[in-house]
Amino acid sequence: MPGERSTWMKDKLDERRQNASFRQLSSGREGIDFFSNDYLGLAQNRAFQEYLQKSSSEKLYSQGATGSRLISGNHSLHDELEQEIANWSENEAALLFNSGYDANIGLYSSLLQRGDLIVYDELVHASIRDGIRLGFARSLSFSHNDISDLEKKLKEGASGRIWVAVESIYSMDGDEAPLRELVKTGKLYGAELIVDEAHTAGIFGDMGQGLCAKYHLEQHIFARLITFGKAFGTHGAAVVGSKELRSFLINFARSFIYTTALSPHQSRIIQLSLHHLSAQREMRESLMRKIIYFNSTLKELGLEPYFLQSISPIQSLLISGNERAGAVSQDLQKAGFAVKAIIHPTVPAGKERIRISLHLHNTNSEIKSLLEKIREIL
Ligand code: PMP
């Protein structure tokens, strides 16, 4: 009826409220940071900010690219930075995207052709799933980190190419993909491997190139995603791979083609962060020591059974149910710890959790107090 407003949006939102899965923005950043992806603290490091400001003001870099890279938005700095990222990651080429989300959307939607098969770990990030949905391949998921299930799916074969999609460290569980076995299995079935290194870039590998580099697997991987919004403390992303892949993405990746490019200023910030981080071996080692300390304290306090096993900065305390997970996170927030509950539908029902991110800026005593508080709550 004219004038009568439909209630479908309200109904959908009410459904979320009833399931305790209603999302809202909060600007609260109070408390000790156990929730950001700023693993090395670069986004909040005063000295680093001053270094960036000084170095990026030596020459003026425009704050706007003015258009898509294919029209008015390509600047020599983009090309220069991409070559540096390619050299650093031991690949032929790299292509910048505005975010990791954009990069995954563009990569998968353009690569996956009719007749192809893509087999992906059931826990891959939403951006990979969305990219797959936009592509034309048949898609199958395999049980998390389960090579025999992957093989089962690969045996189904395809008339076109076969692809496998994984993350080197999973964004929610914090565990590692069995990269060497994945490479071996991929070769056995003629499948190309794509690895999302969003949570390993900057923190693993001699120069922070990620986990594939730590295991010297770079040459066996078709494409890798590097993001600059996590350990690098800024934003933007790059896909690294062959020169042919770069050229393919420039031609077919719609999230690259139809968007305003990263500004020269932002590219300079990424470049400076890359220069800085690749030399920061000590920072990476220090972060690893925090992770070891976290794990040993977990054991000492008898909390191991409540956590997913992880040797990465991502640690997950499983608290089943949206309401319970929400209540535990509120208790922790009241005690001065900045943490967030990760609830269904972001994670499967029953696998709700408090996702704890460890950082260089977390002291051992902060880690210990957080775990003691968790023990008290549990
Ligand atoms: N891949 C993974 C595994 C991620 O965790 C994220 C961010 N949460 C992305 C891709 C997207 O990266 P960005 O934040 O740069 O869009």
Side-chain angles (χ1 to χ4, degrees):
M1 282 225 310
E4 192 176 298
R5 281 183 57 204
S6 156
T7 61
W8 73 270
M9 278 200 280
K10 183 180 173 304
D11 296 344
K12 289 289 254 185
L13 289 169
D14 284 346
E15 201 180 303
R16 282 245 151 137
R17 285 189 186 92
Q18 274 152 26
N19 302 334
S21 62
F22 184 72
R23 294 173 168 130
Q24 52 193 331
L25 298 173
S26 106
S27 51
R29 298 193 60 84
E30 297 91 42
I32 302 162
D33 177 14
F34 282 109
F35 68 168
S36 80
N37 294 321
D38 188 19
Y39 301 120
L40 297 171
L42 288 192
Q44 47 199 294
N45 181 321
R46 182 86 200 205
F48 184 64
Q49 282 163 1
E50 280 166 9
Y51 157 77
L52 285 185
Q53 201 153 29
K54 188 168 161 286
S55 311
S56 58
S57 63
E58 279 160 3
K59 190 174 153 203
L60 274 183
Y61 292 91
S62 173
Q63 74 284 7
T66 78
S68 156
R69 292 274 297 276
L70 285 160
I71 305 202
S72 60
N74 199 40
H75 294 256
S76 57
L77 187 58
H78 291 129
D79 299 322
E80 186 185 311
L81 172 59
E82 285 172 342
Q83 197 48 55
E84 283 185 27
I85 295 170
N87 298 343
W88 165 81
S89 67
E90 307 234 4
N91 274 273
E92 272 180 19
L95 188 69
L96 288 165
F97 283 81
N98 289 350
S99 72
Y101 188 89
D102 286 358
N104 273 337
I105 293 274
L107 178 67
Y108 289 92
S109 63
S110 60
L111 284 179
L112 303 180
Q113 310 287 309
R114 246 175 261 287
D116 288 3
L117 167 69
I118 174 133
V119 187
Y120 60 94
D121 189 289
E122 62 180 339
L123 294 191
V124 293
H125 191 255
S127 54
I128 300 179
R129 283 173 176 263
D130 293 355
I132 292 172
R133 279 170 61 184
L134 289 170
F136 295 104
R138 176 166 173 244
S139 64
L140 296 171
S141 67
F142 68 98
S143 306
H144 181 51
N145 278 348
D146 182 340
I147 297 286
S148 64
D149 193 40
L150 168 65
E151 284 198 82
K152 213 156 75 193
K153 307 288 159 62
L154 289 173
K155 277 183 187 146
E156 299 214 3
S159 56
R161 278 155 296 274
I162 305 181
W163 307 91
V164 173
V166 298
E167 290 174 30
S168 45
I169 291 282
Y170 282 87
S171 64
M172 287 299 151
D173 284 20
D175 58 346
E176 214 177 293
L179 288 171
R180 291 195 188 95
E181 284 153 273
L182 284 163
V183 165
K184 233 193 278 168
T185 311
K187 284 197 196 304
L188 206 61
Y189 291 87
E192 299 283 11
L193 185 59
I194 304 178
V195 182
D196 183 324
E197 299 239 48
H199 294 277
T200 53
I203 42 185
F204 290 93
D206 282 349
M207 292 194 298
Q209 312 97 313
L211 213 50
C212 297
K214 181 179 163 193
Y215 299 134
H216 309 291
L217 294 172
E218 301 95 319
Q219 308 314 321
H220 304 282
I221 289 156
F222 181 84
R224 287 154 63 203
L225 172 77
I226 306 292
T227 60
F228 300 108
K230 304 183 196 302
F232 286 88
T234 177
H235 68 89
V239 171
V240 298
S242 66
K243 284 187 179 153
E244 195 172 37
L245 172 65
R246 180 174 185 272
S247 179
F248 182 87
L249 294 173
I250 292 172
N251 279 276
F252 296 105
R254 295 164 69 86
S255 62
F256 173 85
I257 301 167
Y258 297 107
T259 191
T260 302
L262 282 178
S263 69
H265 179 263
Q266 177 55 18
S267 298
R268 179 67 176 150
I269 298 290
I270 294 176
Q271 187 178 44
L272 291 167
S273 308
L274 183 68
H275 293 173
H276 179 74
L277 250 195
S278 39
Q280 296 299 325
R281 214 184 166 130
E282 172 49 33
M283 273 178 134
R284 282 184 277 283
E285 286 169 1
S286 223
L287 177 64
M288 291 307 142
R289 287 196 289 275
K290 305 264 159 159
I291 298 167
I292 293 168
Y293 178 76
F294 181 93
N295 274 308
S296 66
T297 312
L298 208 64
K299 214 176 200 172
E300 209 178 284
L301 296 176
L303 287 171
E304 255 183 328
Y306 300 96
F307 278 80
L308 294 176
Q309 205 182 355
S310 154
I311 48 131
S312 80
I314 302 167
Q315 303 284 337
S316 279
L317 164 65
L318 289 183
I319 310 272
S320 183
N322 282 357
E323 272 174 37
R324 263 195 79 215
V328 171
S329 96
Q330 271 181 17
D331 285 350
L332 288 169
Q333 284 160 18
K334 274 188 215 135
F337 302 103
V339 291
K340 270 270 155 83
I342 310 286
I343 55 177
H344 177 69
T346 300
V347 288
K351 292 275 180 76
E352 295 79 5
R353 66 201 57 194
I354 307 296
R355 179 179 181 271
I356 294 166
S357 294
L358 299 173
H359 312 93
L360 199 57
H361 47 276
N362 297 137
T363 63
N364 284 0
S365 88
E366 287 168 353
I367 292 174
K368 187 155 193 194
S369 337
L370 170 73
L371 290 173
E372 281 171 348
K373 186 69 197 173
I374 288 173
R375 188 170 67 165
E376 188 191 313
I377 294 170
L378 292 177

